[in-house]
Amino acid sequence: MSLGGFAKIKSHAPLSPNTFLRDLLKIWRPPAAQGGQPAPMRFAFNTTKILTLEWPAGTNPSRLHNFETEARRLRYQALGQACFNARISSLLLGHHKEDETETLLMRLSERYCGEGLRGISPEAGIPDCLGMYGVRDSGGRYLPDSTQHDVGPGFSSDEYTKPGFEYGGVKIYRPLMNYTKPNLMTTLRAAGVPWVNDPTNLDPTLSKRNAIRHLMQHDLFPHALHSRKEAEASTLSIVSRNFRQNFQRRNDQADKLFQACKVIVFNAKSGYLDVRIPLAPTADRQGETDPGWTVEKEFIAARLVRQLLSIVSPRDYISLQSLELASKAMFFNIKDPNATLRTNTRRESIAVFTAGDVFGRRICLPEDRPVSNRNSTEGVRLDPDHIWRLSRQPYDATLPEPKHDVPGAQTSIATAQGEANNMAIRSQSSWQLWDGRYWIRIFDPSPSNIRIYPLNVERHNGLKRRLKQKQQYKLKQFLSRVAPDRTRYTMPAIVSADGDVLALPTLGIDNEWKPQLLKYQIRYKKVKLPGSVTDDAVVALPSGQQVGGD
């Protein structure tokens, strides 16, 4: 269908100049002959430009068991990249009520529960684009007048936008979710705007969504689940609405607790967070000991834990189901608000946990250490005796290390003096997301290859062996201060082809044997911090070295 058609009919509110309102028509046709190459997938990006997605060589889309998933991924990546290239941060999609019903039926058939049944989100970050700089949770500084618009440029006021941190990214909005397909078709028809159907949606054998759509269009579903009358609400739509309302209520309560958290220190250099958290969520209604309300508090606690863990986790998404142990550890008294660590049994009092690739450890505050009793948020009490240290979980020795290869420049480029600028351009890597936490860009005009690895014990020892005794002592003292415990072994290191550590970019440490022309820039991923955090509590990354074209 055409969102552009509705824009021609009426604009109900002014849109930011960075808002994108265009068609999303995808077309795919099978090979014309047996053994022929599949036709490219094409869809409209705007009224004058068509993006064409070529399937990988040797791929026959009609034979892919996950055709719809792969097509969706390619489509969003192309749209996201095109948006960033055009400095567009808000992408409007044309999903309507029938799309949500199809999605709910698909999720039910796949045994989704909980969050999965809240339906399609009316707004979100663009999916399937993790690691694409400027598209997913990054690149906000490249958008003009980024702080002057209420809509866009893809970042909200609760993002931490201080130097050394990424922010921004493309956001998608679905403004037609409250309208049915028949209603939209009637509206366009009355305005003389044609409705465009994707022919691939008519083949029920092509994808699970097409099969569900076919059943709906031929009234093969019970009317209780799907109603074609606009005035009637189907059971699925009611279920989805209730789930969404419950989801929003729990999110609001979890966010209130998150904003009340007291950040003692957030060290982006080594990626750890020391934080005081509220005591167990308390009931705002009678019946606090009711089992149903206990479950409600557990949901709220899990959402709060997810927000905190997301600050240091390398994962793009952490499921609530994986946070049961972490929630019990951080909120040991959730079932009994009067319980304390002293009254709990050893089994109930969990002092450490791992979840979402995050290692959490409870730290007792010294008795003589003054702790402010002032609440960050009215009505929320913070734990006066303990803080939690959250850091990236040490890497599993049985799994491959996160790494990025940075190929060296071609030696032939530097043969002529006039090629210096070309050498600089070709030897500058694009921004790369390392371990889901750090955006790194390398400038290396040398012909040798370098890699970005974690600073593990072996590389750390190799680094120390090349230092004099006095330098070793200084490095030890420095790491003890900025990278305590084992957090130092989760930091990135720029390593030569011979395995020598050339630099520790998050610490701003360059070794004497690092090539003089090797430069880098590094930023921490996009994060949301509690509103009460002060700049003094945040240890930001070094400003980095200018590599051109910032």
Side-chain angles (χ1 to χ4, degrees):
M1 64 159 293
S2 173
L3 267 176
F6 289 98
K8 297 174 184 176
I9 297 173
K10 185 175 182 180
S11 177
H12 293 279
L15 295 175
S16 158
N18 288 332
T19 300
F20 178 58
L21 185 61
R22 290 297 182 261
D23 300 345
L24 295 180
L25 173 62
K26 57 183 175 60
I27 302 174
W28 175 79
R29 291 185 176 87
Q34 184 69 21
Q37 289 297 319
M41 182 170 62
R42 308 168 71 242
F43 56 93
F45 177 73
N46 56 39
T47 55
T48 59
K49 182 179 179 182
I50 299 293
L51 297 182
T52 300
L53 305 184
E54 298 288 348
W55 290 92
T59 300
N60 187 338
S62 63
R63 295 182 180 179
L64 292 177
H65 70 280
N66 60 342
F67 162 75
E68 187 176 30
T69 300
E70 285 300 302
R72 178 181 185 269
R73 179 182 62 83
L74 293 174
R75 194 161 64 246
Y76 273 124
Q77 289 181 358
L79 279 169
Q81 191 61 57
C83 283
F84 179 65
N85 292 343
R87 299 300 185 261
I88 292 168
S89 60
S90 300
L91 178 64
L92 274 63
L93 306 182
H95 295 99
H96 46 70
K97 275 189 176 181
E98 276 75 5
D99 291 316
E100 180 167 54
T101 300
E102 294 166 7
T103 298
L104 287 169
L105 288 169
M106 284 182 61
R107 291 177 178 176
L108 283 171
S109 70
E110 295 169 356
R111 299 184 179 181
Y112 274 69
C113 60
E115 287 187 327
L117 297 181
R118 74 180 188 272
I120 301 176
S121 176
E123 63 176 81
I126 189 167
D128 298 313
C129 295
L130 182 64
M132 294 180 63
Y133 186 80
V135 179
R136 183 63 185 269
D137 295 340
S138 56
R141 57 180 43 82
Y142 291 97
L143 294 170
D145 301 324
S146 60
T147 61
Q148 304 302 316
H149 306 295
D150 294 329
V151 180
F155 70 93
S156 55
S157 59
D158 57 7
E159 295 177 19
Y160 196 76
T161 59
K162 299 296 183 180
F165 291 84
E166 276 297 339
Y167 61 92
V170 177
K171 290 194 70 173
I172 58 175
Y173 299 89
R174 299 179 174 97
L176 304 180
M177 289 296 298
N178 291 328
Y179 299 92
T180 64
K181 182 176 179 179
N183 177 259
L184 296 176
M185 295 178 69
T186 301
T187 302
L188 287 176
R189 192 179 299 113
V193 178
W195 177 278
V196 181
N197 277 313
D198 181 352
T200 62
N201 289 341
L202 304 178
D203 183 357
T205 66
L206 192 58
S207 67
K208 181 180 293 186
R209 182 178 292 274
N210 279 10
I212 291 175
R213 184 179 293 122
H214 175 80
L215 294 174
M216 290 174 57
Q217 291 175 347
H218 292 81
D219 285 331
L220 298 177
F221 271 119
H223 284 280
L225 293 179
H226 167 59
S227 176
R228 299 183 65 88
K229 296 182 180 180
E230 184 179 350
E232 295 181 2
S234 68
T235 300
L236 281 177
S237 64
I238 295 174
V239 168
S240 175
R241 182 171 65 246
N242 291 340
F243 266 98
R244 189 180 295 114
Q245 291 173 350
N246 289 336
F247 175 83
Q248 188 60 50
R249 185 186 70 253
R250 292 166 176 170
N251 261 8
D252 291 343
Q253 295 184 34
D255 194 63
K256 177 183 177 182
L257 297 176
F258 177 76
Q259 295 301 334
C261 291
K262 177 68 175 179
V263 175
I264 307 301
V265 60
F266 171 45
N267 192 325
K269 292 185 176 183
S270 53
Y272 77 88
L273 171 71
D274 285 352
V275 59
R276 284 179 62 204
I277 65 173
L279 298 173
T282 56
D284 56 4
R285 63 184 185 187
Q286 293 182 347
E288 184 172 337
T289 59
D290 179 81
W293 178 240
T294 299
V295 173
E296 182 81 359
K297 290 192 294 183
E298 289 174 346
F299 271 109
I300 296 170
R303 282 167 170 76
L304 171 59
V305 171
R306 179 164 64 182
Q307 283 186 275
L308 291 170
L309 266 57
S310 295
I311 296 174
V312 297
S313 173
R315 295 193 186 183
D316 183 46
Y317 176 77
I318 303 174
S319 69
L320 293 179
Q321 289 80 359
S322 67
L323 298 179
E324 181 178 1
L325 180 63
S327 297
K328 286 182 178 179
M330 300 183 75
F331 297 102
F332 60 89
N333 58 344
I334 196 167
K335 294 183 178 180
D336 181 6
N338 297 318
T340 65
L341 284 175
R342 294 180 180 178
T343 61
N344 271 19
T345 65
R346 181 181 298 272
R347 182 178 180 181
E348 293 172 329
S349 301
I350 304 171
V352 298
F353 68 85
T354 56
D357 289 330
V358 172
F359 176 72
R361 178 165 66 93
R362 184 192 296 118
I363 299 176
C364 295
L365 294 174
E367 293 184 1
D368 59 347
R369 178 176 177 175
V371 177
S372 172
N373 291 321
R374 181 175 60 85
N375 292 329
S376 309
T377 301
E378 184 179 356
V380 178
R381 294 183 301 145
L382 301 181
D383 186 342
D385 302 319
H386 311 89
I387 63 174
W388 278 92
R389 172 162 293 175
L390 306 175
S391 60
R392 205 273 188 229
Q393 179 181 351
Y395 300 107
D396 188 338
T398 64
L399 299 177
E401 294 179 302
K403 70 174 183 177
H404 278 310
D405 293 325
V406 181
Q410 298 295 326
T411 54
S412 60
I413 297 176
T415 55
Q417 184 69 26
E419 292 290 319
N421 290 335
N422 287 336
M423 181 184 71
I425 293 173
R426 298 186 193 186
S427 54
Q428 176 177 310
S429 74
S430 59
W431 287 100
Q432 300 181 66
L433 182 60
W434 184 84
D435 193 37
R437 297 178 296 147
Y438 294 101
W439 287 98
I440 305 178
R441 182 166 64 168
I442 302 291
F443 175 86
D444 179 24
S446 69
S448 61
N449 295 337
I450 61 174
R451 289 177 174 176
I452 306 171
Y453 276 118
L455 178 68
N456 59 15
V457 175
E458 180 182 354
R459 296 185 187 97
H460 185 201
N461 290 336
L463 172 61
K464 290 189 294 185
R465 285 194 295 267
R466 300 193 64 170
L467 298 176
K468 296 179 180 179
Q469 187 172 3
K470 187 175 182 179
Q471 293 174 317
Q472 290 183 23
Y473 177 77
K474 287 184 176 180
L475 177 64
K476 179 180 179 180
Q477 293 296 104
F478 183 68
L479 290 178
S480 297
R481 186 172 67 254
V482 301
D485 306 325
R486 295 182 63 83
T487 59
R488 66 193 62 176
Y489 298 128
T490 65
M491 299 186 306
I494 299 177
V495 181
S496 69
D498 298 327
D500 294 327
V501 176
L502 303 178
L504 301 178
T506 64
L507 304 183
I509 294 179
D510 296 344
N511 293 327
E512 297 176 357
W513 54 89
K514 179 182 78 70
Q516 186 176 3
L517 294 180
L518 173 63
K519 297 182 180 181
Y520 55 84
Q521 285 180 302
I522 186 166
R523 296 178 185 137
Y524 199 76
K525 68 174 184 175
K526 173 179 170 179
V527 293
K528 175 183 177 181
L529 298 178
S532 60
V533 67
T534 63
D535 290 344
D536 293 340
V538 178
V539 181
L541 295 173
S543 57
Q545 305 162 325
Q546 192 69 21
V547 298
D550 188 26

